[in-house]
Amino acid sequence: MAHILVADDDVDIRELVEFKLSMLGHEVVAVADGTSAVEEVRRRRPDLAVLDVMMPGMSGLEAVRVIREDPDLNDLPVILLTARAQESDRETGLGSGADDYVTKPFSPRELASRVEALLNR
């Protein structure tokens, strides 16, 4: 069982991801924005973070950059979850330091597979 942080401002997406990962036996903490995500990973480091790109306040991209700049967190696996599906968006997301990039709409099963793959790395 892993401790996973999920950050998405869309409550339906947040609850779907939280439910799917919980059903796999993971402990999930869910927050609604990037600032809360950064605060939470600093408070209790998760094994992995799933961050929406477009959130109010601090975006997922900004949150990844902050995480990568912190020596205690810079190796934290991060998956970006976003509706932005252009190749340039993907390059920007991965360039920000994310380990994986999943576009919405997404298959909960595929997201779960990617989470497991990163946790097993």
Side-chain angles (χ1 to χ4, degrees), residues 22-118:
S22 295
M23 292 303 296
L24 295 173
H26 299 299
E27 176 189 348
V28 180
V29 173
V31 297
D33 58 72
T35 302
S36 298
V38 170
E39 290 170 359
E40 185 61 31
V41 298
R42 287 181 171 154
R43 188 182 72 74
R44 180 175 175 214
R45 181 193 162 107
D47 298 304
L48 182 138
V50 178
L51 307 175
D52 181 24
V53 170
M54 295 183 290
M55 295 184 283
M58 182 184 293
S59 73
L61 293 173
E62 293 169 304
V64 173
R65 290 184 187 113
V66 170
I67 289 167
R68 293 294 177 244
E69 291 171 0
D70 187 322
D72 295 327
L73 300 170
N74 65 8
D75 62 343
L76 174 68
V78 176
I79 296 174
L80 288 177
L81 188 62
T82 181
R84 302 185 69 143
Q86 298 294 321
E87 185 176 345
S88 61
D89 296 321
R90 184 178 197 82
E91 289 171 359
T92 299
L94 294 172
S96 72
D99 297 282
D100 203 351
Y101 192 94
V102 178
T103 56
K104 298 175 187 175
F106 63 94
S107 156
R109 184 180 302 158
E110 179 187 356
L111 178 62
S113 294
R114 291 183 184 212
V115 165
E116 295 301 324
L118 273 177

Side-chain angles (χ1 to χ4, degrees), residues 6-19 30-33 52 54-56 81 104 106:
V6 174
D8 198 308
D9 60 320
D10 182 321
V11 68
D12 293 330
I13 299 287
R14 190 170 63 240
E15 288 178 353
L16 172 65
V17 173
E18 183 177 13
F19 175 76
V31 297
D33 58 72
D52 181 24
M54 295 183 290
M55 295 184 283
L81 188 62
K104 298 175 187 175
F106 63 94

